[in-house]
Amino acid sequence: MKSDRSLDVVIVGLGRVGRALAKQIQKADSQLRIVGLADRGGLLYHERGLSASLVDEALSAKAEGSSIGICPSALPPIYRFSDLATSRTLFVDATAASGMAAGWCEVLASSGAAGVVLANKLPLCEAWSVSGPLFNHPRVRYEATVGAGLPILSTLRSLLATGDLVTRMRGALSGTLGYLVNQVSEGHAFSAALSDAIALGYAEPDPSADLGGRDVARKAVILSRAVGWPAELSDVERDGLVPDSDAYQGAPSADYSSADRKLKELFADADCDGIAIRYLAQITPERISVGLARIDLHDPFAALAGTENRIAIHTRRYPIHPLAIAGPGAGPETTAAGVLSDLIDLAEKSKLRGENPCPC
Ligand SMILES: NC(=O)c1ccc[n+]([C@@H]2O[C@H](COP(=O)([O-])OP(=O)(O)OC[C@H]3O[C@@H](n4cnc5c(N)ncnc54)[C@H](OP(=O)(O)O)[C@@H]3O)[C@@H](O)[C@H]2O)c1
């Protein structure tokens, strides 16, 4: 168990990301200790920190599909996060739950918690009136919501903090769609590529949010809001890789023959025209669009391989050759590393404010 000098972390959501994060915190020689682990079934909590063996036991149970609720020392699920908060508590939202924004705003407003780190995109994509307070709040971080472990949002924050002005952004923001587009452009049928993507863990068993472009639309809204353009999700012009009506047909054996045919034709035409196709988000202060885009073969986005993400950020300082960030943009380990980096950043800030470590 780590000392009372540590900052306290409560991880809400123990899926692939939450579990990977808990393991990384245990291994890291950081001033962080886990005091709470929560899923939909319950909460394990101890104000002086959960023992390493209890954390391991809980993570093993979760990996096998059980609930925290079955652990003998578990408490009922938390409804008010602020009840657990002290000025040394850092909360992590590693759920995929909707309706969390108000709870996190309450934590920040009423309890003075050390901070909130989001892997969950949904709290950042509610109506601006609800999500707005989370953006640019000094004690909120959300690096992993776009590009997983890639330093995209911290780079934007640093550009803005040093007086630069973002003018537009272009991004390949989905590892799943990147993989599918690459496979189809190499001549594989969309349906076969999708089955492979699910088997390899690149796509969710229900891939509808990815295929319909809704997940990329959320990331685009987060990027837009992060640079001060408070767009709504409903403002996004969205074309799915396949239309919403085809995006999920209820079973892995769903009939994607129409999508197979349409995408094969589209990519064959692009081949004839000597251009590439990528699934891109284009973000300006006036307009956000997500969908398939025809691009020059020399465009750096044309060279993206596998599940790679890339963003090009045009600013006043980088007007012609944009600032570009690229690399693996998904996966529980890299996502958890992005969350851990946010936690360490908030812990450092908290130390600078002199709120901890506790001198006891
Ligand atoms: N996987 C990636 O590569 C990646 C990359 C970037 C961002 N993200 C984001 O990170 C988040 C977590 O991803 P994941 O892959 O770990 O998801 P996941 O495997 O579906 O796990 C979600 C976890 O959240 C818990 N949960 C849901 N609603 C809750 C609630 N109201 N209160 C407490 N716990 C709740 C679930 O509890 P039960 O176990 O009880 O069902 C589950 O443990 C998602 O928002 C995802 O979009 C993931």
Side-chain angles (χ1 to χ4, degrees):
M1 204 177 287
K2 291 187 182 173
S3 76
D4 280 350
R5 291 180 175 274
S6 311
L7 261 118
D8 299 339
V9 180
V10 175
I11 304 176
V12 184
L14 292 171
R16 290 157 302 174
V17 173
R19 296 200 301 274
L21 173 66
K23 287 184 191 150
Q24 289 183 15
I25 291 175
Q26 283 185 309
K27 277 194 204 137
D29 181 23
S30 70
Q31 291 282 299
L32 300 172
R33 69 177 176 188
I34 299 171
V35 296
L37 293 173
D39 66 3
R40 282 182 296 179
L43 164 71
L44 281 176
Y45 181 77
H46 196 291
E47 61 188 10
R48 293 177 70 87
L50 300 177
S51 68
S53 58
L54 184 55
V55 172
D56 288 343
E57 207 179 301
L59 298 185
S60 303
K62 286 304 299 173
E64 286 161 14
S66 285
S67 161
I68 284 289
I70 65 154
C71 296
S73 51
L75 302 166
I78 345 171
Y79 295 107
R80 287 175 61 92
F81 301 113
S82 48
D83 291 347
L84 301 180
T86 72
S87 63
R88 295 169 53 205
T89 315
L90 291 163
F91 289 89
V92 175
D93 183 345
T95 75
S98 57
M100 304 285 273
W104 296 129
C105 289
E106 185 194 35
V107 162
L108 292 159
S110 64
S111 69
V116 173
V117 176
L118 306 167
N120 182 7
K121 293 175 269 299
L122 302 185
L124 298 166
C125 295
E126 294 187 35
W128 176 248
S129 55
V130 179
S131 299
L134 297 173
F135 284 88
N136 301 318
H137 189 291
R139 287 178 281 129
V140 178
R141 293 286 182 275
Y142 46 91
E143 185 70 76
T145 57
V146 182
L150 297 177
I152 294 175
L153 288 151
S154 51
T155 300
L156 291 176
R157 203 166 47 246
S158 154
L159 288 170
L160 298 179
T162 55
D164 204 350
L165 184 77
V166 177
T167 51
R168 69 187 164 96
M169 292 175 275
R170 191 162 69 120
L173 304 174
S174 165
T176 311
L177 295 183
Y179 176 81
L180 293 173
V181 165
N182 273 316
Q183 291 293 103
V184 175
S185 69
E186 286 170 13
H188 300 278
F190 164 74
S191 51
L194 180 59
S195 302
D196 287 350
I198 293 173
L200 291 164
Y202 297 159
E204 299 292 329
D206 171 1
S208 53
D210 275 326
L211 297 184
R214 290 197 302 281
D215 196 54
V216 174
R218 289 181 191 129
K219 292 174 184 174
V221 163
I222 292 171
L223 288 169
S224 171
R225 290 177 167 188
V227 297
W229 308 330
E232 297 292 345
L233 209 45
S234 54
D235 296 335
V236 178
E237 295 166 32
R238 175 176 60 87
D239 274 327
L241 180 62
V242 297
D244 276 350
S245 55
D246 291 349
Y248 182 57
Q249 299 163 10
S253 58
D255 177 10
Y256 285 113
S257 51
S258 147
D260 279 347
R261 210 172 34 252
K262 283 186 210 155
L263 287 170
K264 189 175 170 191
E265 278 170 23
L266 194 71
F267 280 79
D269 287 349
D271 230 14
C272 287
D273 297 345
I275 52 124
I277 295 187
R278 289 289 178 265
Y279 195 92
L280 298 183
Q282 322 229 33
I283 305 156
T284 69
E286 297 79 30
R287 179 170 179 246
I288 302 178
S289 64
V290 304
L292 289 171
R294 287 162 61 92
I295 59 173
D296 193 278
L297 286 176
H298 300 296
D299 187 317
F301 281 87
L304 287 179
T307 59
E308 213 179 0
N309 280 201
R310 180 182 183 91
I311 185 162
I313 306 166
H314 293 259
T315 76
R316 204 159 40 191
R317 275 185 217 137
Y318 300 94
I320 299 170
H321 300 295
L323 179 62
I325 300 167
E333 289 298 332
T334 48
T335 305
V339 174
L340 181 56
S341 148
D342 278 348
L343 285 170
I344 291 169
D345 182 36
L346 285 175
E348 293 299 326
K349 298 266 177 330
S350 178
K351 264 191 221 162
L352 288 176
R353 286 196 304 272
E355 286 164 8
N356 66 136
C358 158
C360 45

